[in-house]
Amino acid sequence: MRVRVLVRLKPGILDVQGAAVKRALAGLGFAELTDLRVGKVIEVELDASTPERARERVGEMCRQLLANPILEDYTLEMVDDLAPRGAVR
Amino acid sequence: MRVRVLVRLKPGILDVQGAAVKRALAGLGFAELTDLRVGKVIEVELDASTPERARERVGEMCRQLLANPILEDYTLEMVDDLAPRGAVR
Amino acid sequence: MTGAEPKVTLDLARETGLTADEYDRITSRLGREPTWTELGLFSALWSEHCAYKHSRVFLGRLPTAGARVLQGPGENAGAIDIGDGWAVVFKMESHNHPSFIEPFQGAATGVGGILRDIFTMGARPIAILDSLRFGDPSDAKTRHLVNGVVSGISWYGNCFGCPTVGGEIAFAPEYAGNPLVNVMCLGLVRADRLFRARAEGVGNPVFYVGNKTGRDGIHGATMASATFDEHAEERRPTVQVGDPFTEKLLLEACLEAMATGAIVGIQDMGAAGLACCTSEMPARSGTGMDVDLARVPQRETGMTPYEILLSESQERMLLVAARGREEEVRRIFAKWELDAVEIGRVTAGGALTARLGGEVVAHVPVDFLADAPKYEKPMAPPADFAERQAFDPLTLPEPADYGTALIELMGSPTIASKEWASRQYDQQVGLNTLVLPGSDAAVLRVKGTSRALAVSTDGNGRQVFLDPRRGAAMAVAEAARNVSCSGGLPVGLTDCMNFGSPERPEILWQFAEAIEGIAEACRVLEIPVVGGNVSFYNETSGQAILPTPIIGVVGVLDDAARRATQWFKGAAHRVALLGPESVSLGGSEYLWTAHRRLAGCLAPLDLEVERRVQAAVRAAVQAGLATATHDCSEGGLAVALAEGSVTGREPVGCEATVAAGGRADLALFGEGPSRVVVAVEPGRARGFEALMAESAIPWRWIGTTGGDRLVLRVGTRAVVDVAVDQVERAWRGGFERHMA
Amino acid sequence: MRFGVVVFPGTWSDCDFHYVISEVLHEPVRYVWHRDRNLADLDCVILPGGFSYGDYLRAGAVAGKSPVVEALQEFVAKGGYVLGSCNGFQILCEARLLPGALMRNECLQYRCQPTHLAVENVETAFTRGLRLGQVLTMPISHGEGKYHADPEPLREMKERNQIVFRYAEADGRVTRAANPNGSLENIAGIVNPAGNVLGLMPHPERAAEAAMGGTDGLLLFQSLLGSLVEDGSFLKR
Ligand SMILES: Nc1ncnc2c1ncn2[C@@H]1O[C@H](COP(=O)(O)OP(=O)(O)O)[C@@H](O)[C@H]1O
Ligand SMILES: [Mg+2]
């Protein structure tokens, strides 16, 4: 079972990475850019009897370790296949 | 227009951070974990006339800056709303 | 005034941390109820953290004058003249509460704050030292804190580009619920180019520079003025995030702007942010300030005046420029890609007027804001004070094997090598670090001169707990001794006073006694206090930390080449012990490590002897007579000798007679002030003897370096005889073992 | 020989290189602002250490796109010398002036410590004064110094003798224990095929005075200064 966790800074917390990347892209001429935020994606593969169970366990991992509740929110997404689909190499 | 970029280490490149997180989770008793990889999610908001155009420009951002092709793959996903849906706080 | 804001009442004032008396004082001076925004100003500026309400009456006892003092307490940092037209600017700050809530960002922003204190004075930061206290490292929660704090300091300091050259990490269970993160920073500036946090010149423009303002850290100052309890979690959203890259740009832009002469005064927006700057700067200058909060660069939408004034977003400064030179200032900040926005003017009349567009949201006299009430609360020694002191450690059994006891002590987390931390810090950027972390003090050269600076931080909470006055004086003596051992003349001191709640009589007593001890030591050792910080309310659910004053001493070496380090350099050097005989196991590291006891009396401290011993060590180093100098601190003489043997690149054995007789544990591991181990090349022994005779201090030869064993005798009995390799392994791996 | 030291927002070894070149080597040197494209007056451009643009995306990524680095392409093509140390090495890789990439240290921590470097190529302008197998001591100070190249480029690099320094023991043995950051095959420094662009993670400027703990870093500069003398006569100095 594969679960994708997106960990992002909570709204209102200064995203130093995002701000710097945004500035850099603007400098490269991407004037149409209005906002950019950087977060983490954690792709988890685990044995679980049902998708619900998988989601539950990964949620537990987030609470215990993957996300820092003081700074970050997280969302879970179930994915069939974590191999980068249409990945550009 | 909102585009989500997932940047991940290419297959075959050792994901040291992912391995460390995996070890830590195993230590916390998550024995069902079989694999874990850590990447970046970059959420871009831009002015563009069409979704195709947005995708094209963000692709250009990836090639120019957001991903290093020696180490990383990237995938683009169009999203209606980048505000964390069902975020856990 | 803004209609949507809450109506201010006494109950609301109480919720923001003000007392009924304080609220009375505000309404009677203003002649009306304060607005919601004004209430915010008072609650922040009259918080313990900003206003030193409980400590001010005591801090006045510290000696702050001296021929070299260019700036004493009261500014962003103190400054000392070091000769050749240079001044060293330094200060220490705590970031204990934020680091407990979010160790990485809490420690990182602690580094950011102290760096800004230094460069607002016009000085370029050259070194950071971090003094850390944690609970027992065998506890996973503590390891998480250590990891987070060290990597936060590493990230911020390294990215900014200031080397971390020293500090300490010590462990005691009393810090488990409230770790200490104290950071000291030093900078260099031409002595005639010091800047101050002043708002002079009515009509001069007021600029906001640096990062945009968000809602982060609102009420940080109030948080630092409250103890932790089960509700600590709820206060979490106030955590700030550091941005060392912007800070680096801010440094370069500020120094560049200062060099043009267009800057009149400048202050860092630290605790209580804009509120603090817009009231303290004019209060120091007898002026006022009129600012439009709508012009403040904001990261979030819909911020209220209250939030804009109290935000503790990082990497921001307020500066007053000379009228007519606004363009120059804007141009320099733009070059460094930073916001510099004129938000108001310096005014006459002594009031802070804050507007939001056209509307006045606060109008209060700055002298009133800056002059919080002072308290003289009741104090009393703790009930078990005499009982703890009455304990005689010699009623405990001796160790079965002294070699094993020494090895255990060398591997105990407090004494073991802290390389695990220091190698995560850049130690050399700036090309000044002559002595890297690992010796008694760090030594930094001053380029373009023959001089160097030596700096050390010290503080032993166990000793202060057992005897606050003597323990605090010992901390001063030790920090100064570390500097003297390196060859530096101590010239200035900063402190960070970490205590529990001052509203408890026994804590306030500890604090008052500690201040007396520091004052007395500074007077005799002739070291002025030029800055410091008080951190109260370091307790969780009623359990206070050990009272922990951390002392940072800066010294000057006139000749940078005449310096010393603590490790033995080769075989057949003679080893001398300088200083008194008297030591005690009371409060010692050994008593804790071997017996888990914190009790007993401290050894006596004779400050006059301390002064002479330090002068003698400096004279020996300056005359080139010493190949190694090391003070005896935690672990006593045995640990000092073992450290001499194993802390250098190559271990060097040693054989010494530590006492004529008596209990070996006392002789080996007893701790006492004013004691220094010195190694001398055999050919220099006569010269050294002559110098010691002149110095009129107690001293004796105790042994010789060489071989691959550490042999320590009491009388003729070799109580310790161990391979130095084994000692080295214990010391190198002792701390890392916990962190792996 | 005229040196230029590039300053990006966030660079911090700029002053140190400037100091060593002017105060220790007594050679002419100026700072080059990151927006500056004019390098015509320079013989050697230094890309120093630091955290350009905070290194918030990837170390060196943003600086790799800066005007001065774009101008370097032509400068290098014309035979100008470039030395990138630490963040400078990362920038050179990001700009494709050197092959490969630098990743987060395998220990996932920053490392500031002395290292020993075994010299594997003495044909470059920067190493002409050295002996093959000579061991230099220089400190590192970085969080992202683990060198990576794919097998094919790595094979080419070896074929062209592009590996200049490897982390080693004090006696020159290249061992796993001597590798401070998990770098591929202990690689610490590489050169471009033409031999005029050197990138290395260690800090030669921190090993340029005895008081700072060693002078091995100076050897790179002395080799370079000698390179200007066609017959290599500096070697006999
Ligand atoms: N947190 C730290 N950061 C940097 N250096 C440290 C740290 N902790 C200890 N050190 C260094 O390790 C050495 C020994 O520390 P310590 O035992 O506290 O010294 P002392 O007994 O002289 O006070 C000192 O050089 C000190 O600067
Ligand atoms: Mg010491």
Side-chain angles (χ1 to χ4, degrees):
Chain A
M1 212 77 72
R2 288 161 176 193
V3 184
R4 182 201 275 174
V5 184
L6 296 178
V7 181
R8 309 174 179 91
L9 288 174
K10 289 190 191 180
I13 295 217
L14 175 68
D15 177 11
V16 296
Q17 262 190 310
V21 175
K22 190 179 159 197
R23 210 157 41 194
L25 285 170
L28 289 173
F30 292 97
E32 66 266 58
L33 191 67
T34 56
D35 195 28
L36 187 150
R37 294 185 64 89
V38 180
K40 266 186 299 207
V41 52
I42 303 168
E43 302 185 301
V44 181
E45 203 174 313
L46 74 170
D47 294 330
S49 44
T50 63
E52 290 65 44
R53 179 67 187 152
R55 179 181 267 278
E56 194 182 296
R57 289 296 283 169
V58 176
E60 192 52 38
M61 292 177 194
C62 289
R63 281 183 293 279
Q64 287 198 29
L65 188 77
L66 300 181
N68 178 344
I70 300 158
L71 301 169
E72 297 165 332
D73 287 330
Y74 61 89
T75 49
L76 304 186
E77 299 174 0
M78 303 299 295
V79 277
D80 335 324
D81 191 343
L82 287 177
R85 284 166 305 174
V88 182
R89 288 201 186 139
Chain B
M1 212 76 74
R2 290 163 174 190
V3 184
R4 183 199 276 172
V5 183
L6 296 179
V7 181
R8 309 174 178 91
L9 288 176
K10 290 202 288 199
I13 294 200
L14 180 66
D15 175 13
V16 184
Q17 205 190 345
V21 174
K22 191 178 158 198
R23 245 191 335 264
L25 284 171
L28 290 171
F30 292 97
E32 66 264 59
L33 192 65
T34 55
D35 195 26
L36 186 149
R37 291 182 69 86
V38 180
K40 272 185 283 212
V41 52
I42 303 173
E43 302 186 301
V44 181
E45 203 173 312
L46 75 169
D47 294 330
S49 45
T50 64
E52 290 65 42
R53 178 70 187 148
R55 179 181 267 278
E56 194 181 294
R57 290 295 283 168
V58 175
E60 191 52 37
M61 292 176 194
C62 289
R63 279 184 294 280
Q64 285 200 30
L65 188 72
L66 300 181
N68 180 337
I70 298 175
L71 303 171
E72 298 163 328
D73 287 330
Y74 61 89
T75 49
L76 305 186
E77 299 175 0
M78 303 299 295
V79 276
D80 337 324
D81 191 342
L82 287 177
R85 284 166 304 174
V88 182
R89 285 190 195 148
Chain C
M1 301 202 179
T2 315
E5 293 191 333
K7 160 116 186 63
V8 176
T9 60
L10 173 59
D11 282 345
L12 195 55
R14 279 217 180 100
E15 271 175 45
T16 69
L18 292 165
T19 66
D21 279 351
E22 288 165 352
Y23 186 66
D24 253 5
R25 216 165 141 141
I26 294 167
T27 48
S28 61
R29 169 84 189 257
L30 294 182
R32 58 178 168 84
E33 304 279 320
T35 65
W36 171 237
T37 304
E38 288 169 343
L39 182 68
L41 291 175
F42 283 103
S43 99
L45 290 165
W46 287 15
S47 69
E48 184 63 41
H49 186 73
C50 290
Y52 292 83
K53 287 189 284 198
H54 291 91
S55 59
R56 262 193 298 173
V57 292
F58 303 104
L59 295 177
R61 308 276 304 153
L62 298 170
T64 59
R68 294 171 179 256
V69 176
L70 297 174
Q71 179 63 57
E75 281 285 337
N76 285 325
I80 293 280
D81 190 334
I82 58 167
D84 294 319
W86 287 101
V88 59
V89 172
F90 59 93
K91 172 100 193 289
M92 185 162 15
E93 278 276 7
S94 64
H95 232 213
N96 306 338
H97 290 79
S99 303
F100 183 57
I101 292 176
E102 206 323 272
F104 182 94
Q105 291 293 347
T109 51
V111 173
I114 193 67
L115 284 165
R116 285 193 297 285
D117 279 335
I118 301 308
F119 68 81
T120 46
M121 299 291 292
R124 182 173 285 276
I126 58 163
I128 295 167
L129 293 92
D130 59 333
S131 188
L132 314 178
R133 299 290 182 278
F134 298 99
D136 190 330
S138 60
D139 172 31
K141 168 83 178 152
T142 292
R143 288 197 301 274
H144 168 75
L145 289 170
V146 175
N147 242 316
V149 165
V150 169
S151 46
I153 292 169
S154 156
W155 175 61
Y156 205 104
N158 297 351
C159 184
F160 175 85
C162 184
T164 301
V165 301
E168 324 137 75
I169 308 182
F171 301 87
E174 291 84 351
Y175 302 110
N178 195 313
L180 302 185
V181 176
N182 291 185
V183 186
M184 178 175 175
C185 181
L186 285 75
L188 281 177
V189 58
R190 296 301 295 172
D192 56 357
R193 304 302 301 269
L194 274 172
F195 277 79
R196 291 184 171 80
R198 302 293 160 101
E200 256 131 45
V202 171
N204 275 335
V206 176
F207 277 91
Y208 170 110
V209 300
N211 258 342
K212 296 191 193 328
T213 296
R215 289 197 173 85
D216 18 63
I218 290 172
H219 279 313
T222 325
M223 178 177 80
S225 310
T227 60
F228 280 126
D229 52 26
E230 60 281 13
H231 301 300
E233 306 266 322
E234 292 163 21
R235 298 202 191 99
R236 279 181 160 179
T238 59
V239 168
Q240 316 104 317
V241 171
D243 181 359
F245 168 58
T246 297
E247 178 112 325
K248 163 75 171 163
L249 302 186
L250 207 48
L251 162 77
E252 299 300 342
C254 285
L255 294 187
E256 198 172 321
M258 286 166 168
T260 64
I263 308 296
V264 172
I266 179 165
Q267 183 165 342
D268 152 45
M269 285 187 231
L274 191 56
C276 187
C277 291
T278 51
S279 52
E280 283 186 6
M281 290 180 75
R284 287 196 193 95
S285 302
T287 56
M289 221 177 244
D290 189 332
V291 295
D292 182 358
L293 302 177
R295 293 199 216 158
V296 168
Q298 292 162 44
R299 207 172 72 228
E300 294 177 62
T301 51
M303 289 187 71
T304 64
Y306 182 103
E307 290 171 326
I308 296 169
L309 278 165
L310 295 195
S311 160
E312 295 189 358
S313 289
Q314 300 287 296
E315 294 90 19
R316 305 177 304 155
M317 304 267 200
L318 196 72
L319 64 83
V320 172
R323 191 158 32 161
R325 305 189 66 175
E326 292 84 349
E327 261 332 292
E328 265 172 277
V329 173
R330 281 197 199 92
R331 190 164 33 79
I332 289 167
F333 282 87
K335 171 184 161 192
W336 291 99
E337 300 175 24
L338 291 171
D339 277 327
V341 179
E342 195 179 326
I343 61 163
R345 299 255 151 196
V346 177
T347 57
L352 164 61
T353 309
R355 303 168 193 274
L356 191 68
E359 185 188 11
V360 172
V361 293
H363 182 76
V364 270
V366 290
D367 60 348
F368 186 45
L369 271 176
D371 183 34
K374 279 186 231 183
Y375 294 124
E376 273 185 83
K377 288 281 175 70
M379 41 187 208
D384 58 356
F385 180 64
E387 187 193 321
R388 282 184 181 277
Q389 289 218 329
F391 173 75
D392 179 5
L394 294 182
T395 57
L396 295 169
E398 287 188 61
D401 179 77
Y402 276 101
T404 308
L406 175 61
I407 285 167
E408 258 170 38
L409 207 46
M410 288 293 283
S412 73
T414 295
I415 289 179
S417 168
K418 300 306 183 311
E419 196 183 329
W420 177 88
S422 59
R423 74 181 176 206
Q424 295 187 52
Y425 305 147
D426 188 293
Q427 302 155 21
Q428 288 162 298
V429 57
L431 294 186
N432 300 314
T433 322
L434 297 175
V435 176
L436 299 168
S439 191
D440 278 343
V443 179
L444 297 136
R445 67 178 172 182
V446 180
K447 289 202 208 80
T449 76
S450 63
R451 290 172 212 271
L453 299 171
V455 53
S456 175
T457 62
D458 287 283
N460 183 322
R462 290 201 180 109
Q463 292 179 346
V464 180
F465 176 74
L466 291 178
D467 185 341
R469 185 181 295 228
R470 193 183 297 170
M474 281 182 173
V476 173
E478 182 175 348
R481 198 182 319 123
N482 282 327
V483 162
S484 290
C485 282
S486 303
L489 173 69
V491 294
L493 180 149
T494 180
D495 63 70
C496 198
M497 308 291 288
N498 306 277
F499 287 77
S501 165
E503 294 163 42
R504 291 204 281 145
E506 68 275 20
I507 303 280
L508 196 61
W509 177 82
Q510 286 174 337
F511 178 79
E513 286 286 296
I515 289 285
E516 282 306 327
I518 293 170
E520 199 179 320
C522 287
R523 272 193 302 274
V524 178
L525 301 177
E526 297 178 61
I527 310 174
V529 179
V530 296
N533 178 247
V534 179
S535 171
F536 279 136
Y537 301 101
N538 290 289
E539 32 188 273
T540 298
S541 306
Q543 162 71 55
I545 57 161
L546 293 173
T548 313
I550 302 289
I551 305 295
V553 167
V554 176
V556 174
L557 290 78
D558 286 332
D559 181 355
R562 298 295 174 114
R563 60 179 186 267
T565 48
Q566 72 180 34
W567 44 88
F568 298 145
K569 309 295 184 297
H573 295 196
R574 297 191 67 187
V575 177
L577 174 65
L578 280 50
E581 292 290 353
S582 45
V583 290
S584 166
L585 286 174
S588 67
E589 194 62 31
Y590 166 77
L591 197 61
W592 179 256
T593 309
H595 298 287
R596 298 283 151 193
R597 291 295 284 261
L598 168 49
C601 277
L602 304 184
L605 168 64
D606 182 332
L607 286 163
E608 196 43 52
V609 171
E610 178 74 49
R611 196 178 62 76
R612 290 205 304 271
V613 167
Q614 290 190 31
V617 179
R618 286 195 305 271
V621 173
Q622 283 156 12
L625 292 171
T627 56
T629 56
H630 188 25
D631 89 305
C632 300
S633 59
E634 283 95 351
L637 179 57
V639 165
L641 290 166
E643 287 177 342
S645 283
V646 304
T647 59
R649 208 165 284 166
E650 297 289 333
V652 177
C654 169
E655 160 282 308
T657 301
V658 297
R663 272 272 291 248
D665 51 355
L666 180 63
L668 289 169
F669 308 128
E671 296 175 14
S674 322
R675 289 155 58 90
V676 175
V677 169
V678 181
V680 181
E681 273 177 314
R684 300 291 181 103
R686 291 287 156 265
F688 183 78
E689 286 169 359
L691 181 66
M692 290 304 110
E694 263 171 50
S695 304
I697 56 161
W699 79 282
R700 57 277 196 208
W701 293 115
I702 59 168
T704 316
T705 66
D708 55 10
R709 298 193 74 78
L710 183 64
V711 182
L712 303 177
R713 292 198 179 80
V714 171
T716 54
R717 185 164 63 107
V719 289
V720 172
D721 185 350
V722 287
V724 280
D725 291 1
Q726 200 188 347
V727 179
E728 186 188 11
R729 270 197 305 279
W731 177 76
R732 287 205 190 277
F735 175 64
E736 210 164 334
R737 179 165 49 97
H738 290 285
M739 295 310 299
Chain D
M1 183 160 201
R2 278 195 62 90
F3 288 87
V5 178
V6 179
V7 184
F8 298 99
T11 297
W12 42 238
S13 288
D14 46 347
C15 302
D16 297 351
F17 271 104
H18 194 283
Y19 174 83
V20 167
I21 295 166
S22 65
E23 306 300 314
V24 180
L25 293 163
H26 305 291
E27 293 291 325
V29 52
R30 70 168 173 95
Y31 288 112
V32 181
W33 188 237
H34 63 111
R35 295 189 197 287
D36 197 352
R37 292 175 189 271
N38 181 8
L39 306 172
D41 61 319
L42 302 174
D43 302 301
C44 177
V45 172
I46 309 273
L47 296 177
F51 284 64
S52 52
Y53 299 92
D55 282 351
Y56 285 155
L57 179 65
R58 290 184 311 278
V62 179
K65 304 290 168 199
S66 60
V68 69
V69 172
E70 275 173 23
L72 273 184
Q73 305 279 358
E74 191 194 327
F75 179 81
V76 169
K78 286 185 175 161
Y81 298 110
V82 178
L83 171 69
S85 155
C86 190
N87 195 222
F89 184 17
Q90 295 161 341
I91 292 168
L92 289 171
C93 288
E94 281 284 344
R96 308 280 173 268
L97 282 157
L98 289 175
L102 292 145
M103 306 174 65
R104 194 144 168 221
N105 292 351
E106 203 147 271
C107 58
L108 299 174
Q109 286 179 347
Y110 198 93
R111 278 288 178 275
C112 178
Q113 64 189 56
T115 59
H116 301 295
L117 306 175
V119 180
E120 300 222 333
N121 173 348
V122 293
E123 309 295 317
T124 83
F126 303 92
T127 54
R128 284 178 58 173
L130 304 175
R131 274 178 291 106
L132 215 51
Q134 189 171 346
V135 179
L136 308 182
T137 303
M138 272 179 229
I140 55 165
S141 182
H142 60 245
E144 299 182 33
K146 176 184 173 183
Y147 184 76
H148 171 84
D150 286 338
E152 185 51 25
L154 180 66
R155 196 190 52 75
E156 278 175 27
M157 284 168 65
K158 286 180 179 167
E159 222 169 74
R160 297 174 179 153
N161 198 19
Q162 282 178 257
I163 298 165
V164 182
F165 300 117
R166 289 188 207 260
Y167 299 109
E169 305 286 344
D171 60 9
R173 280 176 306 125
V174 175
T175 64
R176 210 186 150 72
N179 189 338
N181 54 22
S183 210
L184 178 70
E185 298 192 5
N186 284 41
I187 290 174
I190 60 173
V191 73
N192 65 341
N196 59 334
V197 179
L198 174 73
L200 77 170
M201 285 315 296
H203 285 264
E205 83 285 7
R206 295 184 183 186
E209 293 167 279
M212 287 288 116
T215 56
D216 285 355
L218 277 188
L219 298 172
L220 305 190
F221 289 97
Q222 286 162 347
S223 296
L224 182 62
L225 291 168
S227 306
L228 285 192
V229 184
E230 282 302 315
D231 63 352
S233 58
F234 81 100
L235 292 174
K236 302 178 199 109
R237 279 210 297 258

